[in-house]
Amino acid sequence: MSSPQLSWRPATWSPAVRMGLSIAAATGVYGVSFGALAVAAGLSVWQAMALSLLMFTGGSQFAFIGVLAGGGAASAALGAGALLGLRNAVYGMQMNHMLRPQGWRKGLAAQITIDESVATAAGQTTPDEQRRGFWTAGVGIFLLWNLFTLVGALLGDALGDPRRWGLDGAAVAAFLALLWPRLQQREPVALAVLGGVATALAVPLVPPGLPILLAAVVGAAWGWWVPSPDAPAPAQGANGEATR
């Protein structure tokens, strides 16, 4: 594995490094909203920092504090965060095959395997650029996300009501920013609409935290029952019946 040449001169950075740094800067700032919202939800500064350092997946973190802020139980908050974090396990298998990290790098790679680092790596065409993109985006986001989480948590009381600054909508904006590029085909759009409808119908009927779990169940059921458009069609027998 060839190691990238490190340089402080932007002109020498490869496209993957530039992309990773830009994504890290854009994503890391969201940590301010998480830190402020975590304190507003009742967590201490150190509890907010522990979530960012150990959980380190924005969707799960926002889901966790969202359930707590809505009056949900800690178990429901943990369940919501865990379900949203399951995708990282799938990403991990993909990145392990693509990057093949060895030794201590494998543990570090697992920690920084998130939507953005995976997307940056997958967007490159050569193995070296894939590695540069993954590590630049992953490490950059980890450092900036935790730094801005601390800033937001420390300023939480000074900021007052997060709704005054629109921070209560930051999580929604972040989710939409990640979701929108994926809605390029009919099936993702239909699944997103179905999950949204299921969540909206469940909100007045079940305790806080459970609607998002219900939406996850709906998504899992969709994946189980609806065949993938990329799956090969079953072979036809002589009598026209599908064979296995």
Side-chain angles (χ1 to χ4, degrees), residues 45-60:
V45 173
W46 298 113
Q47 287 172 329
M49 288 303 302
L51 276 178
S52 278
L53 287 165
L54 301 177
M55 185 177 285
F56 187 56
T57 170
S60 296

mmCIF file with all atom_site columns, all heavy atoms in Angstrom, residues 45-60:
data_model
loop_
_atom_site.group_PDB
_atom_site.id
_atom_site.type_symbol
_atom_site.label_atom_id
_atom_site.label_alt_id
_atom_site.label_comp_id
_atom_site.label_asym_id
_atom_site.label_entity_id
_atom_site.label_seq_id
_atom_site.pdbx_PDB_ins_code
_atom_site.Cartn_x
_atom_site.Cartn_y
_atom_site.Cartn_z
_atom_site.occupancy
_atom_site.B_iso_or_equiv
_atom_site.pdbx_formal_charge
_atom_site.auth_seq_id
_atom_site.auth_comp_id
_atom_site.auth_asym_id
_atom_site.auth_atom_id
_atom_site.pdbx_PDB_model_num
ATOM 1   N N   . VAL A 1 45 ? -22.252 18.372 29.509 1.00 0.00 ? 45 VAL A N   1
ATOM 2   C CA  . VAL A 1 45 ? -21.250 18.580 28.467 1.00 0.00 ? 45 VAL A CA  1
ATOM 3   C C   . VAL A 1 45 ? -20.462 17.294 28.221 1.00 0.00 ? 45 VAL A C   1
ATOM 4   O O   . VAL A 1 45 ? -20.216 16.903 27.074 1.00 0.00 ? 45 VAL A O   1
ATOM 5   C CB  . VAL A 1 45 ? -20.294 19.730 28.850 1.00 0.00 ? 45 VAL A CB  1
ATOM 6   C CG1 . VAL A 1 45 ? -19.144 19.828 27.855 1.00 0.00 ? 45 VAL A CG1 1
ATOM 7   C CG2 . VAL A 1 45 ? -21.055 21.051 28.917 1.00 0.00 ? 45 VAL A CG2 1
ATOM 8   N N   . TRP A 1 46 ? -20.074 16.615 29.299 1.00 0.00 ? 46 TRP A N   1
ATOM 9   C CA  . TRP A 1 46 ? -19.256 15.417 29.147 1.00 0.00 ? 46 TRP A CA  1
ATOM 10  C C   . TRP A 1 46 ? -20.061 14.255 28.577 1.00 0.00 ? 46 TRP A C   1
ATOM 11  O O   . TRP A 1 46 ? -19.516 13.414 27.847 1.00 0.00 ? 46 TRP A O   1
ATOM 12  C CB  . TRP A 1 46 ? -18.624 15.045 30.486 1.00 0.00 ? 46 TRP A CB  1
ATOM 13  C CG  . TRP A 1 46 ? -17.718 16.115 30.983 1.00 0.00 ? 46 TRP A CG  1
ATOM 14  C CD1 . TRP A 1 46 ? -17.883 16.904 32.077 1.00 0.00 ? 46 TRP A CD1 1
ATOM 15  C CD2 . TRP A 1 46 ? -16.511 16.567 30.352 1.00 0.00 ? 46 TRP A CD2 1
ATOM 16  N NE1 . TRP A 1 46 ? -16.856 17.807 32.177 1.00 0.00 ? 46 TRP A NE1 1
ATOM 17  C CE2 . TRP A 1 46 ? -15.999 17.623 31.134 1.00 0.00 ? 46 TRP A CE2 1
ATOM 18  C CE3 . TRP A 1 46 ? -15.810 16.180 29.209 1.00 0.00 ? 46 TRP A CE3 1
ATOM 19  C CZ2 . TRP A 1 46 ? -14.827 18.296 30.807 1.00 0.00 ? 46 TRP A CZ2 1
ATOM 20  C CZ3 . TRP A 1 46 ? -14.647 16.845 28.878 1.00 0.00 ? 46 TRP A CZ3 1
ATOM 21  C CH2 . TRP A 1 46 ? -14.163 17.890 29.680 1.00 0.00 ? 46 TRP A CH2 1
ATOM 22  N N   . GLN A 1 47 ? -21.347 14.190 28.876 1.00 0.00 ? 47 GLN A N   1
ATOM 23  C CA  . GLN A 1 47 ? -22.180 13.154 28.270 1.00 0.00 ? 47 GLN A CA  1
ATOM 24  C C   . GLN A 1 47 ? -22.327 13.389 26.767 1.00 0.00 ? 47 GLN A C   1
ATOM 25  O O   . GLN A 1 47 ? -22.288 12.444 25.972 1.00 0.00 ? 47 GLN A O   1
ATOM 26  C CB  . GLN A 1 47 ? -23.546 13.123 28.944 1.00 0.00 ? 47 GLN A CB  1
ATOM 27  C CG  . GLN A 1 47 ? -23.519 12.527 30.343 1.00 0.00 ? 47 GLN A CG  1
ATOM 28  C CD  . GLN A 1 47 ? -24.848 12.690 31.060 1.00 0.00 ? 47 GLN A CD  1
ATOM 29  O OE1 . GLN A 1 47 ? -25.585 13.660 30.842 1.00 0.00 ? 47 GLN A OE1 1
ATOM 30  N NE2 . GLN A 1 47 ? -25.163 11.743 31.931 1.00 0.00 ? 47 GLN A NE2 1
ATOM 31  N N   . ALA A 1 48 ? -22.500 14.651 26.388 1.00 0.00 ? 48 ALA A N   1
ATOM 32  C CA  . ALA A 1 48 ? -22.583 14.976 24.960 1.00 0.00 ? 48 ALA A CA  1
ATOM 33  C C   . ALA A 1 48 ? -21.287 14.618 24.248 1.00 0.00 ? 48 ALA A C   1
ATOM 34  O O   . ALA A 1 48 ? -21.293 14.055 23.142 1.00 0.00 ? 48 ALA A O   1
ATOM 35  C CB  . ALA A 1 48 ? -22.901 16.458 24.777 1.00 0.00 ? 48 ALA A CB  1
ATOM 36  N N   . MET A 1 49 ? -20.158 14.911 24.894 1.00 0.00 ? 49 MET A N   1
ATOM 37  C CA  . MET A 1 49 ? -18.871 14.584 24.298 1.00 0.00 ? 49 MET A CA  1
ATOM 38  C C   . MET A 1 49 ? -18.665 13.074 24.195 1.00 0.00 ? 49 MET A C   1
ATOM 39  O O   . MET A 1 49 ? -18.111 12.580 23.208 1.00 0.00 ? 49 MET A O   1
ATOM 40  C CB  . MET A 1 49 ? -17.739 15.204 25.116 1.00 0.00 ? 49 MET A CB  1
ATOM 41  C CG  . MET A 1 49 ? -17.625 16.709 24.990 1.00 0.00 ? 49 MET A CG  1
ATOM 42  S SD  . MET A 1 49 ? -17.401 17.240 23.271 1.00 0.00 ? 49 MET A SD  1
ATOM 43  C CE  . MET A 1 49 ? -15.899 16.348 22.817 1.00 0.00 ? 49 MET A CE  1
ATOM 44  N N   . ALA A 1 50 ? -19.119 12.335 25.196 1.00 0.00 ? 50 ALA A N   1
ATOM 45  C CA  . ALA A 1 50 ? -18.982 10.881 25.155 1.00 0.00 ? 50 ALA A CA  1
ATOM 46  C C   . ALA A 1 50 ? -19.763 10.295 23.980 1.00 0.00 ? 50 ALA A C   1
ATOM 47  O O   . ALA A 1 50 ? -19.284 9.372  23.298 1.00 0.00 ? 50 ALA A O   1
ATOM 48  C CB  . ALA A 1 50 ? -19.464 10.268 26.469 1.00 0.00 ? 50 ALA A CB  1
ATOM 49  N N   . LEU A 1 51 ? -20.955 10.828 23.717 1.00 0.00 ? 51 LEU A N   1
ATOM 50  C CA  . LEU A 1 51 ? -21.734 10.346 22.584 1.00 0.00 ? 51 LEU A CA  1
ATOM 51  C C   . LEU A 1 51 ? -20.999 10.599 21.271 1.00 0.00 ? 51 LEU A C   1
ATOM 52  O O   . LEU A 1 51 ? -20.948 9.736  20.390 1.00 0.00 ? 51 LEU A O   1
ATOM 53  C CB  . LEU A 1 51 ? -23.103 11.033 22.553 1.00 0.00 ? 51 LEU A CB  1
ATOM 54  C CG  . LEU A 1 51 ? -24.203 10.438 23.429 1.00 0.00 ? 51 LEU A CG  1
ATOM 55  C CD1 . LEU A 1 51 ? -25.473 11.266 23.313 1.00 0.00 ? 51 LEU A CD1 1
ATOM 56  C CD2 . LEU A 1 51 ? -24.488 8.993  23.023 1.00 0.00 ? 51 LEU A CD2 1
ATOM 57  N N   . SER A 1 52 ? -20.419 11.806 21.130 1.00 0.00 ? 52 SER A N   1
ATOM 58  C CA  . SER A 1 52 ? -19.735 12.135 19.885 1.00 0.00 ? 52 SER A CA  1
ATOM 59  C C   . SER A 1 52 ? -18.456 11.320 19.709 1.00 0.00 ? 52 SER A C   1
ATOM 60  O O   . SER A 1 52 ? -18.114 10.915 18.597 1.00 0.00 ? 52 SER A O   1
ATOM 61  C CB  . SER A 1 52 ? -19.413 13.631 19.837 1.00 0.00 ? 52 SER A CB  1
ATOM 62  O OG  . SER A 1 52 ? -20.530 14.374 19.413 1.00 0.00 ? 52 SER A OG  1
ATOM 63  N N   . LEU A 1 53 ? -17.741 11.100 20.795 1.00 0.00 ? 53 LEU A N   1
ATOM 64  C CA  . LEU A 1 53 ? -16.483 10.375 20.700 1.00 0.00 ? 53 LEU A CA  1
ATOM 65  C C   . LEU A 1 53 ? -16.685 8.879  20.477 1.00 0.00 ? 53 LEU A C   1
ATOM 66  O O   . LEU A 1 53 ? -15.951 8.252  19.700 1.00 0.00 ? 53 LEU A O   1
ATOM 67  C CB  . LEU A 1 53 ? -15.656 10.586 21.971 1.00 0.00 ? 53 LEU A CB  1
ATOM 68  C CG  . LEU A 1 53 ? -15.017 11.976 22.141 1.00 0.00 ? 53 LEU A CG  1
ATOM 69  C CD1 . LEU A 1 53 ? -14.543 12.170 23.578 1.00 0.00 ? 53 LEU A CD1 1
ATOM 70  C CD2 . LEU A 1 53 ? -13.859 12.151 21.160 1.00 0.00 ? 53 LEU A CD2 1
ATOM 71  N N   . LEU A 1 54 ? -17.672 8.302  21.157 1.00 0.00 ? 54 LEU A N   1
ATOM 72  C CA  . LEU A 1 54 ? -17.843 6.855  21.130 1.00 0.00 ? 54 LEU A CA  1
ATOM 73  C C   . LEU A 1 54 ? -18.872 6.401  20.095 1.00 0.00 ? 54 LEU A C   1
ATOM 74  O O   . LEU A 1 54 ? -18.626 5.449  19.349 1.00 0.00 ? 54 LEU A O   1
ATOM 75  C CB  . LEU A 1 54 ? -18.247 6.355  22.522 1.00 0.00 ? 54 LEU A CB  1
ATOM 76  C CG  . LEU A 1 54 ? -17.246 6.672  23.640 1.00 0.00 ? 54 LEU A CG  1
ATOM 77  C CD1 . LEU A 1 54 ? -17.784 6.206  24.980 1.00 0.00 ? 54 LEU A CD1 1
ATOM 78  C CD2 . LEU A 1 54 ? -15.886 6.037  23.343 1.00 0.00 ? 54 LEU A CD2 1
ATOM 79  N N   . MET A 1 55 ? -20.013 7.063  20.044 1.00 0.00 ? 55 MET A N   1
ATOM 80  C CA  . MET A 1 55 ? -21.032 6.676  19.071 1.00 0.00 ? 55 MET A CA  1
ATOM 81  C C   . MET A 1 55 ? -20.630 7.162  17.678 1.00 0.00 ? 55 MET A C   1
ATOM 82  O O   . MET A 1 55 ? -20.667 6.406  16.712 1.00 0.00 ? 55 MET A O   1
ATOM 83  C CB  . MET A 1 55 ? -22.392 7.251  19.458 1.00 0.00 ? 55 MET A CB  1
ATOM 84  C CG  . MET A 1 55 ? -23.535 6.808  18.560 1.00 0.00 ? 55 MET A CG  1
ATOM 85  S SD  . MET A 1 55 ? -25.148 7.447  19.093 1.00 0.00 ? 55 MET A SD  1
ATOM 86  C CE  . MET A 1 55 ? -25.477 6.396  20.510 1.00 0.00 ? 55 MET A CE  1
ATOM 87  N N   . PHE A 1 56 ? -20.261 8.392  17.542 1.00 0.00 ? 56 PHE A N   1
ATOM 88  C CA  . PHE A 1 56 ? -19.749 9.008  16.320 1.00 0.00 ? 56 PHE A CA  1
ATOM 89  C C   . PHE A 1 56 ? -20.485 8.566  15.062 1.00 0.00 ? 56 PHE A C   1
ATOM 90  O O   . PHE A 1 56 ? -19.917 7.963  14.152 1.00 0.00 ? 56 PHE A O   1
ATOM 91  C CB  . PHE A 1 56 ? -18.252 8.753  16.162 1.00 0.00 ? 56 PHE A CB  1
ATOM 92  C CG  . PHE A 1 56 ? -17.665 9.516  14.982 1.00 0.00 ? 56 PHE A CG  1
ATOM 93  C CD1 . PHE A 1 56 ? -17.796 10.885 14.880 1.00 0.00 ? 56 PHE A CD1 1
ATOM 94  C CD2 . PHE A 1 56 ? -17.004 8.841  13.972 1.00 0.00 ? 56 PHE A CD2 1
ATOM 95  C CE1 . PHE A 1 56 ? -17.274 11.583 13.804 1.00 0.00 ? 56 PHE A CE1 1
ATOM 96  C CE2 . PHE A 1 56 ? -16.472 9.528  12.887 1.00 0.00 ? 56 PHE A CE2 1
ATOM 97  C CZ  . PHE A 1 56 ? -16.609 10.897 12.807 1.00 0.00 ? 56 PHE A CZ  1
ATOM 98  N N   . THR A 1 57 ? -21.739 8.836  15.029 1.00 0.00 ? 57 THR A N   1
ATOM 99  C CA  . THR A 1 57 ? -22.522 8.738  13.804 1.00 0.00 ? 57 THR A CA  1
ATOM 100 C C   . THR A 1 57 ? -23.681 9.701  13.977 1.00 0.00 ? 57 THR A C   1
ATOM 101 O O   . THR A 1 57 ? -24.531 9.512  14.849 1.00 0.00 ? 57 THR A O   1
ATOM 102 C CB  . THR A 1 57 ? -22.993 7.301  13.525 1.00 0.00 ? 57 THR A CB  1
ATOM 103 O OG1 . THR A 1 57 ? -23.940 7.296  12.464 1.00 0.00 ? 57 THR A OG1 1
ATOM 104 C CG2 . THR A 1 57 ? -23.579 6.628  14.746 1.00 0.00 ? 57 THR A CG2 1
ATOM 105 N N   . GLY A 1 58 ? -23.653 10.776 13.200 1.00 0.00 ? 58 GLY A N   1
ATOM 106 C CA  . GLY A 1 58 ? -24.559 11.890 13.432 1.00 0.00 ? 58 GLY A CA  1
ATOM 107 C C   . GLY A 1 58 ? -26.021 11.511 13.487 1.00 0.00 ? 58 GLY A C   1
ATOM 108 O O   . GLY A 1 58 ? -26.760 11.972 14.346 1.00 0.00 ? 58 GLY A O   1
ATOM 109 N N   . GLY A 1 59 ? -26.471 10.657 12.549 1.00 0.00 ? 59 GLY A N   1
ATOM 110 C CA  . GLY A 1 59 ? -27.874 10.274 12.546 1.00 0.00 ? 59 GLY A CA  1
ATOM 111 C C   . GLY A 1 59 ? -28.296 9.613  13.840 1.00 0.00 ? 59 GLY A C   1
ATOM 112 O O   . GLY A 1 59 ? -29.338 9.931  14.414 1.00 0.00 ? 59 GLY A O   1
ATOM 113 N N   . SER A 1 60 ? -27.471 8.696  14.342 1.00 0.00 ? 60 SER A N   1
ATOM 114 C CA  . SER A 1 60 ? -27.784 8.001  15.590 1.00 0.00 ? 60 SER A CA  1
ATOM 115 C C   . SER A 1 60 ? -27.750 8.960  16.776 1.00 0.00 ? 60 SER A C   1
ATOM 116 O O   . SER A 1 60 ? -28.580 8.870  17.689 1.00 0.00 ? 60 SER A O   1
ATOM 117 C CB  . SER A 1 60 ? -26.791 6.853  15.818 1.00 0.00 ? 60 SER A CB  1
ATOM 118 O OG  . SER A 1 60 ? -26.901 5.876  14.809 1.00 0.00 ? 60 SER A OG  1
#
